[in-house]
Amino acid sequence: MIVLVNPRATRPQNRRFPLSVMAIGAALPATEEWEIVDGNLPGLDVEQRISSVVDARAGTSDPVRAIALTVMPGPQLANAVPLTKALKSRHAQIPIVWGGNFGSLYPEPVIDSGYVDWLIRGQGEQTFVELLQVLDGRLDPAAVPGLCFRKADGSRHIAAERHWVGPDELPAPPYHKINIGEYLHPTFLGRRSGVYNASIGCPYACNFCGVISVFGRREKVQDPARTAGHLALLSRNYGMDSVHFYDNNFFLNDAQAREIADSLAPLGLRWWCEARVDALLRFSGDTWRRLKRAGLTMVFCGAESGSNEVLRKMSKGITAEQILEAAARTREHGIIPEFSFVFGDPDEPELQIDQTLAFIRKLKRINPAMELISYFYTPTPQRRGTYGDVDPRQGTPATLEEWTQPEWIGWMTHEDPDVPWLDGRLKSRVRDFELVLKSRFPSVHDRETNGIGKLAGRWLADMRWRSGRYSNPALLRQVRSWARRRPDDPQAYGHLRAEAAMR
Ligand code: B12
Ligand code: SF4
């Protein structure tokens, strides 16, 4: 028996399918029994639940022989650390395994912790199956790609990730192992929104991004017919009416985008996905129209900066002019663009912030429907060359306990990194701008601010927006906190966010 754990990563109201552990479970041999414990479910005592499975299985022919956790940087890590410690002290004899993005990027503190026995870096399906053979004494752990551990002499064995395979070579998501209805929630897309991941990796080379550090510069996409088959099941059997595609990069090129559009069209779903600005600009008018017809409602693009110099330093491979053009094309086709920006150039942070804020105004003029997502630049380990030529490991914690401190959570979530080139004044400049912009143009994601509050916010923000004076909008902040049915949720990251957390 294997217990696969998704430590709490977000509030129950934001929970989505725990895809990472579903993928690991689906790849286990048919003879292996396994169960998912999802910390995002409401009212669940995760440690208690795991322990009750362990206790129920103890003394049977199939006791729990591994507890495996997925761990993403950020709040999930903060929850995974105390949970793992508690599990280790309660069930010392059961091997504890970590996988996921945090350990893939920062293996040393995980291996050194003393309470994680095995770490799997990168794609986990095959490595986890081989680890079970290691636990049975049938395989030498040092021979397993991606498997990291402490050797008998106390030194670390940190393996490189294994050569990974694409989604078509992996089993289908095991929907029968979760209660699907518990994971379909209202979003701006629909009443019963779900999530899906149809590819692995990304072929681009942005040198601030953690994806290429884990998966290299490659992407493999699933056959669109298979994607449509899985979504049809969710829509037909469970009433899913909309979907967020989790893929880092959903479209490879024009031909593949058309194929996706044609496969999804019959399903009648509304959907959100991430795409590159340059890829979008290569689409023909016909491809845009097919995508629109197929339900593409919002497209998220990493715009990152309004400065060509900064985009070049980031190896982003796009220009500010192309971003403006993408804003125009999305407007023409009635698709909402969600542009994400990374603030805080290590060389000239103030100049970059000013240029980018001015650029966002321009984007808003071209496409008033445009949505803004903002992050602060947080150096992330890279295979080659980092944006700003900084050492992303310098000063990062050596222990998991330190990683879970609030200042490092702010670092990992890219919400509030403590970096020498960004002070509170500069961060406030970005946050104040964002508050003015989102009050003046309420986000389609915002279902929590009441109508009067939205009206008052618009009115108050209008003067500021026109004059370009954003600093310290105290009254707007007050109106916002008064008008929200629920307070801003700083755990509602990315596609979960009703609006960016505005503190
Ligand atoms: C879903 C998701 C979330 C969800 C959390 C999901 C959950 N666990 O409940 C939410 C929205 C909360 C979230 C938040 C954040 N996320 Co997030 N998220 C994703 C997303 C979109 C999909 C992950 C997924 O399900 N993939 C599908 C599964 C099948 O693949 P996988 O997770 O990679 O799992 C494979 C391997 O990693 C490994 N593996 C994973 N877990 C395990 C466990 C075991 C035991 C084993 C053996 C192997 C293993 O094997 C799996 C199968 O091959 C990815 C982007 C992406 N497409 O991957 C970003 C991504 C992982 N998130 C990222 C980030 C930075 C964050 C945030 C820190 C920042 C932010 N402000 O958004 C926050 C904070 C996280 C937190 N709360 O702790 C980055 C990580 C980059 C990095 N390496 O640093 C990504 C890659 C997005 C990006 N392009 O930047 N996220
Ligand atoms: S930022 Fe986006 S496009 Fe660039 S490497 Fe990362 S996932 Fe790919």
Side-chain angles (χ1 to χ4, degrees):
M1 174 71 171
I2 308 291
V3 181
L4 297 173
V5 187
N6 185 34
R8 185 164 164 171
T10 187
R11 290 184 206 289
Q13 77 225 30
N14 299 327
R15 67 189 177 272
R16 299 290 187 265
F17 298 145
L19 294 181
S20 317
V21 284
M22 286 166 71
I24 301 302
L28 289 172
T31 49
E32 194 71 61
E33 272 207 64
W34 57 279
E35 172 174 331
I36 289 175
V37 177
D38 184 357
N40 287 337
L41 290 176
L44 183 72
D45 181 333
V46 181
E47 184 195 332
Q48 198 47 46
R49 172 70 205 147
I50 297 169
S51 295
S52 70
V53 179
V54 171
D55 294 343
R57 290 284 176 153
T60 70
S61 58
D62 186 19
V64 171
R65 56 195 195 115
I67 301 174
L69 299 88
T70 182
V71 185
M72 180 178 291
Q76 189 167 47
L77 175 76
N79 290 321
V81 168
L83 174 63
T84 309
K85 275 182 172 169
L87 290 170
K88 196 71 209 166
S89 70
R90 215 161 153 173
H91 311 289
Q93 75 293 356
I94 301 181
I96 303 248
V97 188
W98 272 27
N101 269 278
F102 180 79
S104 297
L105 288 175
Y106 304 100
E108 295 86 359
V110 181
I111 297 301
D112 294 349
S113 70
Y115 41 85
V116 180
D117 301 297
W118 305 94
L119 167 70
I120 288 174
R121 297 179 79 196
Q123 187 171 57
E125 286 88 340
Q126 182 61 24
T127 310
F128 191 69
V129 170
E130 289 178 21
L131 169 62
L132 295 180
Q133 294 168 18
V134 169
L135 298 179
D136 287 345
R138 290 190 283 132
L139 205 59
D140 171 9
V144 180
L147 185 62
C148 310
F149 55 92
R150 232 172 214 296
K151 293 194 272 197
D153 65 4
S155 62
R156 300 173 184 137
H157 176 86
I158 297 189
E161 301 88 354
R162 78 168 47 233
H163 193 74
W164 53 272
V165 299
D168 285 323
E169 293 169 64
L170 294 169
Y175 293 119
H176 60 287
K177 296 292 272 194
I178 57 168
N179 182 348
I180 293 177
E182 286 192 301
Y183 292 93
L184 300 177
H185 301 293
T187 66
F188 86 99
L189 286 174
R191 282 181 308 105
R192 289 171 71 76
S193 285
V195 297
Y196 194 82
N197 195 71
S199 68
I200 300 171
C202 174
Y204 296 95
C206 314
N207 56 15
F208 56 85
C209 172
V211 173
I212 41 172
S213 318
V214 177
F215 290 103
R217 277 188 65 187
R218 286 196 301 142
E219 178 171 4
K220 290 193 179 181
V221 300
Q222 181 166 264
D223 178 352
R226 189 178 191 228
T227 302
H230 296 162
L231 296 176
L233 176 126
L234 292 170
S235 135
R236 203 177 44 235
N237 297 355
Y238 301 95
M240 187 180 79
D241 60 6
S242 46
V243 61
H244 281 87
F245 286 105
Y246 268 175
D247 307 65
N248 297 303
N249 179 52
F250 196 54
F251 301 121
L252 288 181
N253 52 44
D254 187 76
Q256 179 248 3
R258 287 160 81 97
E259 208 184 336
I260 290 179
D262 294 349
S263 307
L264 296 184
L267 305 181
L269 299 168
R270 277 159 57 87
W271 45 282
W272 174 103
C273 70
E274 297 194 20
R276 291 268 307 188
V277 157
D278 45 351
L280 293 180
L281 294 184
R282 286 193 287 270
F283 289 177
S284 68
D286 182 47
T287 302
W288 279 103
R289 283 186 289 278
R290 286 182 198 224
L291 287 167
K292 174 76 183 168
R293 264 202 308 276
L296 174 57
T297 305
M298 184 183 281
V299 62
F300 174 108
C301 299
E304 325 304 4
S305 175
S307 149
N308 279 333
E309 171 59 15
V310 170
L311 289 168
R312 192 193 52 72
K313 281 200 275 181
M314 290 174 165
S315 294
K316 187 69 201 177
I318 58 171
T319 62
E321 293 70 31
Q322 286 178 307
I323 302 168
L324 296 173
E325 167 96 32
R329 294 289 285 278
T330 44
R331 181 177 188 173
E332 190 186 328
H333 295 283
I335 292 164
I336 303 170
E338 189 165 47
F339 288 115
S340 154
F341 287 88
V342 173
F343 291 94
D345 176 56
D347 302 323
E348 293 186 289
E350 191 149 9
L351 179 69
Q352 182 255 355
I353 287 174
D354 288 344
Q355 281 179 340
T356 298
L357 297 186
F359 182 75
I360 294 168
R361 288 185 69 102
K362 230 188 216 179
L363 275 175
K364 201 72 192 160
R365 270 200 301 277
I366 294 175
N367 189 339
M370 159 236 155
E371 297 275 340
L372 169 67
I373 302 287
S374 62
Y375 289 115
F376 292 110
Y377 172 46
T378 311
T380 304
Q382 297 291 314
R383 291 172 187 233
R384 250 179 309 164
T386 312
Y387 165 41
D389 210 14
V390 291
D391 178 356
R393 288 184 181 271
Q394 198 187 2
T396 54
T399 66
L400 290 182
E401 285 66 25
E402 206 188 327
W403 269 114
T404 61
Q405 296 307 304
E407 65 268 30
W408 287 104
I409 301 295
W411 167 283
M412 286 182 276
T413 53
H414 310 241
E415 302 271 341
D416 193 11
D418 185 7
V419 286
W421 57 88
L422 266 182
D423 56 20
R425 185 183 58 91
L426 290 179
K427 287 178 187 169
S428 293
R429 194 180 292 188
V430 175
R431 289 180 185 137
D432 291 350
F433 172 87
E434 203 173 352
L435 177 54
V436 173
L437 180 138
K438 292 197 170 173
S439 303
R440 175 63 191 81
F441 308 98
S443 162
V444 291
H445 296 294
D446 184 3
R447 296 174 303 116
E448 296 297 339
T449 308
N450 65 38
I452 301 176
K454 279 187 184 165
L455 260 177
R458 279 186 84 128
W459 184 74
L460 282 170
D462 189 57
M463 280 281 284
R464 282 181 170 271
W465 182 254
R466 281 171 201 262
S467 63
R469 280 185 303 103
Y470 317 114
S471 71
N472 196 19
L475 193 54
L476 267 183
R477 204 167 277 125
Q478 254 175 13
V479 168
R480 183 176 177 80
S481 69
W482 159 80
R484 299 272 300 174
R485 279 182 277 266
R486 267 191 297 212
D488 277 319
D489 180 358
Q491 284 191 25
Y493 298 103
H495 59 94
L496 297 176
R497 77 174 65 207
E499 283 193 280
M502 285 177 266
R503 285 146 296 168

